[in-house]
């Protein structure tokens, strides 16, 4: 380990906070995002926090941009020890309202972006015997209503991480998957959904969260160090996951009630 980390979606939110948490330990950071101004700001904060590194604009939908980013890590840092596949977008809407374009967009970024990140950086991780940290969501485990495309993309990230955990043990590459619940973030900037009401509901959930992106970054830091595979930063999330494992039907009934409430609320708003 030479303390070199790559982060996608590092221009804001959780990606930036992960960069700052590791920067405080003096790490070298390779930061990418589709927003160049966001990246400049993150790099400035990283340097103030005691880290260093470089930035490279990268759209995770484009594999050639990710392989170019991996090459830049090799040239500028001599390799990479940890990759954080964090870039993601939010969406919502009942299945009947979502277009196939909504599905393509969501899966191209939130699932295939992670697949491509793992693929592009695996040769470097095999050399360093490094770690993969994939950012999924509690939506991957709980499948809340009116976000089926998001649920499916994030569940795919968990399944990919479980597959890699097993396959890469032989190469001594560690794998972790993080499933945060809602937290205070700018995820709504990228939100795509059929109704403004849906965006407003998600916005309320994000604002009411007692936990910040910085708290989650710190939780990830501690639990990666402890070698934990599935990292659930929210206490409520850990409780809900334990409940689902014990009594899935109870949770499905709860989610069905939630869906009914959401539909009733949407009708009121429309009315």
């Amino acid at each position: 380990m030479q303390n070199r980390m790559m982060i996608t979606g590092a221009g804001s939110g959780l990606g930036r906070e992960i960069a700052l948490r590791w920067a405080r330990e003096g790490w070298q950071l390779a930061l990418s995002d589709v927003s160049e101004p966001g990246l400049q700001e993150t790099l400035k904060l990283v340097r103030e926090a005691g880290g260093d590194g470089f930035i490279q604009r990268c759209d995770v939908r484009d594999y050639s941009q990710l392989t170019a980013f991996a090459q830049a890590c090799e040239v500028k840092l001599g390799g990479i020890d940890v990759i954080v596949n964090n870039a993601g977008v939010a969406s919502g809407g009942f299945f009947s309202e979502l277009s196939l374009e909504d599905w393509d967009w969501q899966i191209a970024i939130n699932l295939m972006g992670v697949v491509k990140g793992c693929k592009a950086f695996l040769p470097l991780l095999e050399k360093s015997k490094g770690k993969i940290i994939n950012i999924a969501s509690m939506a991957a485990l709980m499948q809340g209503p009116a976000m089926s495309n998001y649920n499916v993309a994030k569940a795919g990230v968990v399944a990919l991480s479980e597959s890699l955990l097993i396959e890469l043990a032989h190469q001594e590459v560690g794998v972790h998957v993080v499933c945060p619940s809602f937290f205070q973030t700018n995820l709504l900037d990228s939100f795509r959904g059929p109704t403004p009401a849906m965006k407003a509901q998600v916005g309320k959930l994000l604002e009411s969260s007692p936990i910040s992106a910085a708290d989650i970054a710190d939780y990830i830091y501690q639990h990666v160090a402890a070698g934990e595979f599935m990292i659930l930063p929210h206490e409520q999330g850990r409780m809900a996951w334990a409940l689902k494992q014990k009594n899935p039907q109870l949770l499905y009934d709860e989610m069905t009630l939630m869906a009914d409430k959401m539909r009733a609320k949407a009708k009121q708003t429309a009315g």
Side-chain angles (χ1 to χ4, degrees), residues 227-245:
E228 203 169 301
F229 166 66
M230 187 179 280
I231 298 172
L232 310 179
H234 290 70
E235 191 182 353
Q236 272 184 310
R238 295 192 289 276
M239 284 159 59
W241 178 228
L243 169 70
K244 184 177 179 180
Q245 289 172 300

Side-chain angles (χ1 to χ4, degrees), residues 56 58 62-72 116 119-121:
Q56 188 155 318
C58 180
D62 183 345
Y63 185 60
S64 66
Q65 290 185 31
L66 280 160
T67 54
F69 187 36
Q71 281 174 327
K116 289 171 184 175
K119 191 88 176 150
F121 279 84

Side-chain angles (χ1 to χ4, degrees), residues 173-238:
V173 172
V175 181
H176 307 268
V177 65
V178 184
C179 296
S181 307
F182 288 108
F183 59 95
Q184 298 148 20
T185 178
N186 62 336
L187 200 60
L188 274 196
D189 296 353
S190 68
F191 186 89
R192 192 185 278 198
T195 62
M198 190 66 67
K199 185 169 182 173
Q201 281 184 29
V202 174
K204 273 188 192 148
L205 287 167
L206 294 175
E207 281 166 27
S208 66
S209 170
I211 189 167
S212 69
D215 296 331
I216 290 173
D218 189 56
Y219 191 91
I220 294 168
Y221 182 86
Q222 307 297 342
H223 288 257
V224 164
E228 203 169 301
F229 166 66
M230 187 179 280
I231 298 172
L232 310 179
H234 290 70
E235 191 182 353
Q236 272 184 310
R238 295 192 289 276

Side-chain angles (χ1 to χ4, degrees), residues 74-215:
E74 200 163 19
V75 170
K76 295 179 181 186
L77 306 177
I80 211 81
D81 301 291
V82 179
I83 68 166
V84 184
N85 289 304
N86 164 73
V89 289
S91 64
F94 285 101
F95 182 75
S96 57
E97 302 166 324
L98 294 169
S99 67
L100 289 178
E101 286 73 25
D102 291 332
W103 276 89
D104 287 343
W105 175 77
Q106 180 57 241
I107 285 172
I109 299 169
N110 282 8
L111 175 54
M112 290 309 298
V114 177
V115 171
K116 289 171 184 175
C118 291
K119 191 88 176 150
F121 279 84
L122 186 57
L124 294 182
L125 292 171
E126 286 175 336
K127 277 183 200 164
S128 65
K129 302 201 185 309
K131 296 184 200 307
I132 294 169
I133 304 172
N134 291 330
I135 308 297
S137 164
M138 278 309 294
L141 307 177
M142 310 311 289
Q143 289 84 42
M147 46 201 289
S148 56
N149 59 345
Y150 186 80
N151 293 342
V152 167
K154 292 296 191 178
V157 173
V158 171
L160 170 71
S161 304
E162 289 175 332
S163 305
L164 295 178
L165 174 73
I166 294 152
E167 289 187 24
L168 300 180
H170 178 67
Q171 283 98 306
E172 295 176 65
V173 172
V175 181
H176 307 268
V177 65
V178 184
C179 296
S181 307
F182 288 108
F183 59 95
Q184 298 148 20
T185 178
N186 62 336
L187 200 60
L188 274 196
D189 296 353
S190 68
F191 186 89
R192 192 185 278 198
T195 62
M198 190 66 67
K199 185 169 182 173
Q201 281 184 29
V202 174
K204 273 188 192 148
L205 287 167
L206 294 175
E207 281 166 27
S208 66
S209 170
I211 189 167
S212 69
D215 296 331

